[in-house]
Amino acid sequence: MATLTVPTTVPSVSEDCEQLRKAFSGWGTNEGLIIDILGHRNAEQRNLIRKTYAETYGEDLLKALDKELSNDFERLVLLWALDPAERDALLANEATKRWTSRNQVLMEIACTRSANQLLHARQAYHARYKKSLEEDVAHHTTGDFRKLLLPLVSSYRYEGEEVNMTLAKTEAKLLHEKISNKAYSDDDVIRVLATRSKAQINATLNHYKNEYGNDINKDLKADPKDEFLALLRSTVKCLVYPEKYFEKVLRLAINRRGTDEGALTRVVCTRAEVDLKIIADEYQRRNSVPLTRAIVKDTHGDYEKLLLVLAGHVEN
């Protein structure tokens, strides 16, 4: 469930553009007006605002926002204003450029988007960077990480609910054999995780647990310091329980000494129109604190205000 709230009656797109133009005019910027408009418009409406703003004023709205805003608030507004596919392309490009074995953003995008959303992100990558996401992932990653990430970002999974139980049983046995032999980067392990539908993977992992007594992620914790195993565990979580993966990202972003604004911004931005309500419920269940209260405690100013709006917080 999404947390984004859009008014029942939305002003015309030309009126929204006019108000945004006013927010940039005169002394200082009216950040509240920017939040009120962009924070309550869905992706289609935001795209139309960008298009109309450019046609009306001869300036890209993103460039106008970039000139007027700063710091974490600027990053949040600019990411939010992007079309979801463009946003994923930008996040993926940043992840390839700054890639380390701890960076899980490429896997996150590949495994939590639908087949079409991932395809559109790859197309947006072509348009924006004049090269493919696959070639950048191949260039910037190495070893087992490349072996897993390249097929993940290239995937176009079947999205139906049909499940082959015979196959689930066979592949559960296969995964158990490979993991028992510590062949974590075996071609078959990667093939199953990178190509099977999410419904099929779910059936396979259920059979794995029923047959062998452990959740697969427990068996993938043989070496807690192994970062490839950490990536494999996160891959499984994103494919089967994305809300648990995102809850952990938020918990680590908010609860550590000093907030990881990059992770907090990314999760709120990319999930507000998808399933942030489910993630927030999981966060409260796991931490006994509402996500919005945790955001208030750890952030401030206009950055905090927009985060709360996107997280569906309603002022009393």
Side-chain angles (χ1 to χ4, degrees), residues 244-283:
K244 292 187 179 181
Y245 167 82
F246 285 117
E247 181 281 324
K248 186 176 182 183
V249 174
L250 288 172
R251 175 163 29 99
L252 293 176
I254 294 171
N255 292 354
R256 66 194 337 175
R257 287 180 187 173
T259 310
D260 179 353
E261 288 87 359
L264 178 56
T265 295
R266 186 182 79 250
V267 174
V268 171
C269 252
T270 58
R271 308 316 292 179
E273 292 182 88
V274 186
D275 57 0
L276 190 55
K277 175 71 172 67
I278 299 166
I279 296 163
D281 288 346
E282 179 65 17
Y283 186 93

Side-chain angles (χ1 to χ4, degrees), residues 80-91:
W80 179 245
L82 284 171
D83 176 79
E86 280 183 281
R87 186 196 302 136
D88 280 345
L90 173 67
L91 291 169

Side-chain angles (χ1 to χ4, degrees), residues 222-236:
D223 179 358
K225 291 181 181 174
D226 186 317
E227 285 172 353
F228 180 71
L229 283 186
L231 182 63
L232 268 183
R233 291 194 301 275
S234 292
T235 301
V236 168

Side-chain angles (χ1 to χ4, degrees), residues 139-191:
H139 178 69
H140 289 283
T141 60
T142 56
D144 288 344
F145 293 93
R146 179 194 290 158
K147 193 174 176 183
L148 175 62
L149 288 169
L150 193 52
L152 283 179
V153 300
S154 310
S155 186
Y156 189 82
R157 295 176 196 273
Y158 175 64
E159 301 214 300
E161 292 302 312
E162 294 84 354
V163 165
N164 181 329
M165 292 310 294
T166 306
L167 183 65
K169 190 174 181 180
T170 304
E171 293 192 334
K173 183 171 185 277
L174 179 69
L175 289 173
H176 186 258
E177 284 172 0
K178 300 299 182 185
I179 291 169
S180 298
N181 293 326
K182 301 193 173 178
Y184 304 118
S185 63
D186 185 271
D187 288 351
D188 281 327
V189 174
I190 288 168
R191 174 184 59 78

Side-chain angles (χ1 to χ4, degrees), residues 12-295:
S12 69
V13 66
S14 56
E15 194 177 328
D16 275 348
C17 290
E18 193 180 323
Q19 289 300 309
L20 284 169
R21 190 70 171 183
K22 278 183 187 171
F24 308 145
S25 305
W27 294 101
T29 305
N30 187 340
E31 288 87 354
L33 194 52
I34 295 169
I35 293 169
D36 285 345
I37 296 171
L38 294 180
H40 292 286
R41 302 292 183 270
N42 62 34
E44 191 179 341
Q45 291 164 335
R46 297 193 307 275
N47 281 344
L48 198 52
I49 287 170
R50 273 180 68 193
K51 185 170 178 282
T52 307
Y53 191 95
E55 288 168 356
T56 309
Y57 302 108
E59 182 182 25
D60 184 349
L61 176 62
L62 295 181
K63 285 185 179 166
L65 290 165
D66 189 34
K67 279 193 295 190
E68 298 294 331
L69 309 178
S70 60
N71 302 324
D72 296 320
F73 179 58
E74 176 189 9
R75 168 80 172 174
L76 178 58
V77 172
L78 289 177
L79 277 181
W80 179 245
L82 284 171
D83 176 79
E86 280 183 281
R87 186 196 302 136
D88 280 345
L90 173 67
L91 291 169
N93 181 256
E94 290 176 348
T96 59
K97 283 181 180 169
R98 303 171 191 169
W99 188 78
T100 68
S101 53
R102 288 184 183 180
N103 188 326
Q104 297 191 348
V105 175
L106 289 166
M107 178 282 304
E108 178 186 304
I109 291 170
C111 295
T112 62
R113 305 323 189 237
S114 70
N116 277 336
Q117 285 168 344
L118 182 55
L119 175 63
H120 293 153
R122 292 202 297 266
Q123 290 169 336
Y125 202 98
H126 286 194
R128 192 177 181 110
Y129 301 108
K130 310 307 176 199
K131 52 186 171 174
S132 74
L133 172 58
E134 295 89 333
E135 67 185 285
D136 271 356
V137 170
H139 178 69
H140 289 283
T141 60
T142 56
D144 288 344
F145 293 93
R146 179 194 290 158
K147 193 174 176 183
L148 175 62
L149 288 169
L150 193 52
L152 283 179
V153 300
S154 310
S155 186
Y156 189 82
R157 295 176 196 273
Y158 175 64
E159 301 214 300
E161 292 302 312
E162 294 84 354
V163 165
N164 181 329
M165 292 310 294
T166 306
L167 183 65
K169 190 174 181 180
T170 304
E171 293 192 334
K173 183 171 185 277
L174 179 69
L175 289 173
H176 186 258
E177 284 172 0
K178 300 299 182 185
I179 291 169
S180 298
N181 293 326
K182 301 193 173 178
Y184 304 118
S185 63
D186 185 271
D187 288 351
D188 281 327
V189 174
I190 288 168
R191 174 184 59 78
V192 171
L193 292 178
T195 66
R196 295 296 182 208
S197 74
K198 291 177 184 180
Q200 184 67 40
I201 288 172
N202 197 34
T204 299
L205 299 188
N206 282 337
H207 188 82
Y208 184 105
K209 186 173 184 178
N210 293 338
E211 189 70 20
Y212 305 107
N214 269 347
D215 189 280
I216 193 170
N217 270 3
K218 193 167 183 186
D219 289 344
L220 288 171
K221 271 189 181 165
D223 179 358
K225 291 181 181 174
D226 186 317
E227 285 172 353
F228 180 71
L229 283 186
L231 182 63
L232 268 183
R233 291 194 301 275
S234 292
T235 301
V236 168
K237 215 181 251 189
C238 278
L239 290 169
V240 183
Y241 305 115
E243 70 278 6
K244 292 187 179 181
Y245 167 82
F246 285 117
E247 181 281 324
K248 186 176 182 183
V249 174
L250 288 172
R251 175 163 29 99
L252 293 176
I254 294 171
N255 292 354
R256 66 194 337 175
R257 287 180 187 173
T259 310
D260 179 353
E261 288 87 359
L264 178 56
T265 295
R266 186 182 79 250
V267 174
V268 171
C269 252
T270 58
R271 308 316 292 179
E273 292 182 88
V274 186
D275 57 0
L276 190 55
K277 175 71 172 67
I278 299 166
I279 296 163
D281 288 346
E282 179 65 17
Y283 186 93
Q284 179 153 4
R285 188 192 69 76
R286 180 75 171 65
N287 303 282
S288 304
V289 175
L291 176 60
T292 50
R293 194 185 303 166
I295 288 171

